[in-house]
Amino acid sequence: MARDTRPRGNSLARDLSSDWVRLRTLLLLRWMAIFGQTVAVVLASFRMGLQVELGLCFLAIGASVLSNMIAMAIFPPNQRLNDWDAMLTLLFDLIQLSFLLFLTGGLNNPFALLIVAPVTISATALTLRSTVILGIAATLLITGLAFFHLPLQTADGREIIIPDLIRTGFWVSIVIGILFLSGYARRVSREIHTMSRALMAAHEALAREQKLTDLGGVVAAAAHELGTPLATIKLVSTELAEELADNKVLAEDAMLIREQADRCRDILRDMGQMGKDDLHMHSALFSAVIREAAEPHIFRGIDVNFQFAPRDDSQNAEPVIDRRPEIIHGVRNLVQNAVDFASKRIWIEGDWTDPKWVDGKWTDIEIRLCVTDDGDGYPQDLIGHLGDPFLRRRKVERADNDLQRPGYEGMGLGLFISKTLLERSGASLKFSNASNPFLLLEEESEKRGAQVEVTWKGADIQVKVDQARGPLGENQRIQI
C-alpha cells in the first residue's frame, strides 16, 4: 500500500483557502474607496447642489480612515489575515458603505451597486462560510436600505425618488448580482486553485520520480560494479566448502560466506528495482532536524551555537517532528541569512512547552525556534516589510551592504522563500532586532543583531511516536 505523502496539518489546503490575503491589499482597496466616497460626497454637495448630511457622511468616511491608520500602526504591512479577520474587515466596509447609502437616499443612490464588491472579494479569496455570511449581510442591508434611508434632496428641497418599479428592479438586480458575481468569482478561483494543486502535485511526482531514477541509476551502477567481486566470492567460497568437507566448522564458515554473497546480490537487485523507503527519514527529533538544516553553514567561519531545552521547566520530552523539505529549506535560509550578516557568531535556540489543562481540555504544545546573530540587525525601515520579495533600498545603502557582504543581492528573496515555506508548515514568523535601543553599545549583550522567531503548534509538525516500536521501523518498499 502506498504511503500517504500528503503534508500533515493540511498545510496545502490552508495556503489555498485562507491566510493568504495581505492586510496591505485590503487597506489599499479601502483607501481607494475612501477617496472615491470623498469625491462623490463633495461633488454631490457642492457641484450638483444636493442636500447631503456632510457631517455624518464625513464621520462615516473618517471611521474608515481611522480604522486604516490604526491597522497600519498596529500590524506590519506584510501581515496576512486569517479567514475570520479578513471577513470582519470586509464586513466593516460593508456596514460603512451601507451607512453612507442610508445618508444619501438608499436605493435611490446609483452607487448602491457597490455593495456587491465586498462579497465578490470574499468569494475570490475567503472560505465559503465567510462568503455566505457576507452575502446574507449584504442582502439584509440592501433590503433595509430600500425602506429606511434619508431622502436625497436637491437645493430647492425637491426629493429625488425613482419609481417603485425601477427601485424594485434595482433591488432585485443587486441581490442577483450578489449571488451571480460571488458564485462566478468563487467558481473561477476554485478552478485556479484546483489547477495549481494539480500542477504542484505533478511537479512533486516528477521530482520524486527523478530522484528515484537517479537513485536507481546509482544502485544499478553499484550492482554492476559489485557483480564480479560477489561472483568471485561465491565461486571461491563454494570451492572452499567442497575442499573442507572433512572439516565441518570451516565448511560451515565457507557456506556462510556464500550465503552472505547471495544476500548482497539480492539486496542490490531489490534496491535497483524498487528502492527503499527508510522510516527514519520521515521524522526526527526537533533538534536533529534543525541541526541538519543548519549543517551547510556551520563551517563558514562563523561560530554557530545550538541550544535546545524545554521551556519553563517543561517535563515534556523533546518532540519528534516531520522532516519536511519546507521546514529544512526554510530554516536553512534563515541560518544562511544570519551567517551572512553576523560578525562572529549566531545562536540557534529551540524550546517547547508542556500541554496545559485549560477550560476543560488540553491545549496543544508550542514548539519555538529562535535564530539570532551579533551583526547590525535589520534596518528599521524594512522590518515591517521583511518577508516580501524584491525589497528595494537606496543605492548608497545597497552599495554599503555589497561592500560588507560581497555577492549579497539584498532583494529579500531568501526571507520570502523562508517565510512562505515555513508558513506552509503551519509556522508563524516574527522578525525583530535583539538590540535594546535604550542601552549603550558596551552595555548590550552579544545578541544584538537580527532575530527571527518561528513558532509552530505541535499538531502541525509533531509526530506521535509509537513507544512499542520507537521512532524507527522496518524499511518499506517505495510504492510508485
Side-chain angles (χ1 to χ4, degrees):
M1 183 176 182
R3 178 173 63 87
D4 185 6
T5 58
R6 294 172 297 179
R8 293 175 174 83
N10 202 17
S11 59
L12 182 60
R14 183 189 302 112
D15 284 346
L16 296 178
S17 62
S18 61
D19 291 356
W20 64 293
V21 179
R22 289 195 304 176
L23 177 62
R24 181 190 300 174
T25 301
L26 295 184
L27 294 184
L28 178 61
L29 293 175
R30 185 178 289 172
W31 282 123
M32 296 172 61
I34 289 171
F35 176 78
Q37 291 169 0
T38 304
V39 171
V41 170
V42 170
L43 289 179
S45 179
F46 298 101
R47 178 71 176 177
M48 300 179 182
L50 300 178
Q51 295 184 17
V52 179
E53 294 287 345
L54 289 178
L56 293 176
C57 287
F58 284 119
L59 178 64
I61 297 174
S64 290
V65 174
L66 182 61
S67 65
N68 261 20
M69 295 180 67
I70 292 175
M72 292 171 63
I74 295 177
F75 301 104
N78 64 345
Q79 173 76 23
R80 294 189 181 274
L81 300 178
N82 59 39
D83 182 74
W84 181 254
D85 291 338
M87 189 272 290
L88 292 179
T89 302
L90 293 175
L91 184 60
F92 173 85
D93 295 334
L94 196 61
I95 295 174
Q96 188 264 355
L97 176 60
S98 299
F99 182 64
L100 271 179
L101 293 174
F102 169 80
L103 298 174
T104 55
L107 287 183
N108 297 302
N109 189 335
F111 287 103
L113 184 63
L114 294 177
I115 206 168
V116 176
V119 186
T120 305
I121 295 174
S122 174
T124 303
L126 304 184
T127 60
L128 179 61
R129 181 192 63 180
S130 297
T131 304
V132 170
I133 292 174
L134 290 173
I136 294 174
T139 303
L140 293 177
L141 289 172
I142 201 65
T143 302
L145 290 173
F147 299 99
F148 306 101
H149 57 267
L150 297 182
L152 191 62
Q153 297 178 338
T154 61
D156 56 3
R158 289 183 301 154
E159 186 175 345
I160 300 177
I161 302 177
I162 62 178
D164 291 340
L165 181 61
I166 297 178
R167 186 165 61 249
T168 302
F170 192 29
W171 176 86
V172 173
S173 67
I174 292 177
V175 174
I176 293 177
I178 291 173
L179 296 175
F180 176 79
L181 290 179
S182 60
Y184 181 83
R186 182 162 186 82
R187 179 69 178 179
V188 172
S189 64
R190 283 176 61 87
E191 290 287 345
I192 294 174
H193 295 163
T194 301
M195 182 61 67
S196 298
R197 289 195 295 267
L199 290 175
M200 187 177 297
H203 285 306
E204 291 177 351
L206 288 174
R208 188 163 178 265
E209 182 66 24
Q210 182 63 45
K211 290 181 180 179
L212 290 175
T213 301
D214 296 341
L215 178 61
V218 172
V219 174
H224 176 74
E225 295 295 330
L226 293 175
T228 301
L230 289 175
T232 302
I233 293 173
K234 181 179 178 181
L235 177 62
V236 173
S237 60
T238 301
E239 293 177 351
L240 287 175
E242 293 177 353
E243 294 178 359
L244 299 173
D246 54 344
N247 191 326
K248 184 177 181 180
V249 175
L250 294 178
E252 290 178 353
D253 290 342
M255 294 303 298
L256 179 61
I257 295 174
R258 177 180 177 178
E259 292 173 0
Q260 294 304 310
D262 289 336
R263 184 183 177 188
C264 290
R265 179 201 60 197
D266 295 337
I267 290 175
L268 288 173
R269 181 186 298 119
D270 183 59
M271 291 179 64
Q273 292 175 350
M274 296 297 293
K276 291 287 187 178
D277 190 14
D278 293 325
L279 295 182
H280 75 276
M281 297 299 290
H282 302 163
S283 60
L285 290 173
F286 174 55
S287 59
V289 175
I290 302 304
R291 288 177 184 273
E292 178 184 352
E295 185 177 3
H297 303 290
I298 62 178
F299 301 109
R300 293 178 51 194
I302 299 296
D303 185 18
V304 180
N305 300 276
F306 293 94
Q307 182 177 350
F308 298 92
R311 193 193 320 166
D312 301 329
D313 298 325
S314 170
Q315 301 300 317
N316 200 25
E318 182 177 355
V320 176
I321 67 172
D322 285 324
R323 294 182 68 261
R324 299 187 199 167
E326 55 262 38
I327 295 178
I328 295 176
H329 193 69
V331 172
R332 183 167 294 165
N333 277 2
L334 295 181
V335 175
Q336 177 183 357
N337 190 73
V339 171
D340 283 343
F341 290 95
S343 298
K344 295 180 180 179
R345 60 180 57 86
I346 69 170
W347 295 263
I348 302 176
E349 302 166 298
D351 56 42
W352 52 92
T353 62
D354 277 330
K356 298 179 181 178
W357 184 261
V358 178
D359 296 333
K361 61 180 180 180
W362 288 100
T363 60
D364 198 3
I365 73 168
E366 185 177 86
I367 303 173
R368 185 175 62 181
L369 172 69
C370 188
V371 180
T372 312
D373 62 64
D374 61 349
D376 295 330
Y378 298 120
Q380 290 296 330
D381 60 321
L382 291 184
I383 286 184
H385 300 276
L386 293 175
D388 291 346
F390 306 111
L391 294 179
R392 299 292 184 184
R393 303 201 69 204
R394 293 185 303 222
K395 292 183 178 180
V396 175
E397 295 180 353
R398 186 166 62 248
D400 292 341
N401 287 339
D402 290 342
L403 291 176
Q404 295 173 3
R405 297 295 177 186
Y408 179 73
E409 298 181 1
M411 302 179 69
L413 288 176
L415 291 181
F416 168 74
I417 293 173
S418 297
K419 188 172 186 290
T420 302
L421 292 177
L422 292 173
E423 284 180 345
R424 172 172 291 182
S425 71
S428 59
L429 280 76
K430 178 182 178 182
F431 299 94
S432 62
N433 286 325
S435 60
N436 189 333
F438 300 101
L439 295 178
L440 298 176
L441 183 61
E442 58 271 14
E443 295 176 338
E444 290 185 345
S445 65
E446 289 184 286
K447 299 180 183 179
R448 58 177 180 269
Q451 186 175 73
V452 185
E453 185 175 311
V454 187
T455 306
W456 293 273
K457 294 297 183 182
D460 290 327
I461 62 171
Q462 188 179 15
V463 176
K464 301 300 182 182
V465 179
D466 185 357
Q467 298 298 330
R469 68 170 180 83
L472 305 181
E474 295 183 358
N475 290 342
Q476 304 293 327
R477 291 192 176 208
I478 297 176
Q479 303 296 324
I480 302 176

